[in-house]
Amino acid sequence: QVQLVESGGGTVQVGDSLRLSCTTSGLGLSENNLAWFRQTPEKERDYVGGIRGRDGVKSYADSVKGRFTISRDSAKSTVYLQMNSLKPGDTASYYCAAGRPVLSSFSRASAWPYWGQGTQVTVDS
C-alpha cells in the first residue's frame, strides 16, 4: 500500500524557483530512501538527486548540483525538491521514487521499486 504523490509542478520563466513535493504513505522516511528523477518524452529517466533515510545523506546529479536541494519533513511524510535558477534544460516530468538501494545505486532507476505519477515542470526560454 505504498503510495507516492508528486505535486508543485508548473510553468515558470528562466531563473525562477519552484518547489516540488512528494507526499508518501505506507513507508517510513527513516527506513527508506527517496529520490527524484526527471524524464522528457525523447529521453530516458535521469537521476536528479536523493536522500538516504537512515541519516539524511544527500546526493545530486552534476547537472543540478548547487541549484537544487532535497529536504524532508518526516512528520508530514514528505520529501521536497527545491529548484532554483531554473533553466530550459530542466523542463521535464519529475518523479519521486522510494526504496532501499545503496547510495552508489541511487542513480539507477531500476533500483527503485516505488514511483509516483510525476509532475510536469516547464521552464520557458
Side-chain angles (χ1 to χ4, degrees):
Q1 204 172 5
V2 173
Q3 188 175 31
L4 310 176
V5 180
E6 303 96 332
S7 62
T11 301
V12 298
Q13 303 298 312
V14 170
D16 282 354
S17 296
L18 203 60
R19 189 181 75 163
L20 306 183
S21 299
C22 175
T23 300
T24 73
S25 62
L27 57 83
L29 296 188
S30 65
E31 296 181 344
N32 289 270
N33 307 323
L34 271 296
W36 289 94
F37 288 76
R38 64 188 184 186
Q39 185 173 23
T40 59
E42 66 275 9
K43 295 183 178 180
E44 64 271 15
R45 192 165 296 187
D46 291 328
Y47 180 65
V48 176
I51 181 169
R52 190 160 64 189
R54 63 179 171 88
D55 58 6
V57 167
K58 303 166 187 177
S59 75
Y60 300 96
D62 289 340
S63 59
V64 307
K65 196 172 299 181
R67 298 188 299 121
F68 290 10
T69 303
I70 293 172
S71 62
R72 64 183 178 184
D73 185 338
S74 295
K76 297 181 178 180
S77 299
T78 299
V79 174
Y80 303 96
L81 180 67
Q82 178 67 46
M83 306 183 294
N84 298 328
S85 302
L86 284 163
K87 306 174 180 179
D90 297 320
T91 295
S93 293
Y94 283 72
Y95 298 84
C96 63
R100 301 186 69 183
V102 296
L103 188 63
S104 62
S105 296
F106 271 25
S107 64
R108 298 177 178 268
S110 61
W112 301 89
Y114 304 110
W115 292 85
Q117 83 292 337
T119 185
Q120 177 67 34
V121 173
T122 301
V123 184
D124 286 336
S125 61

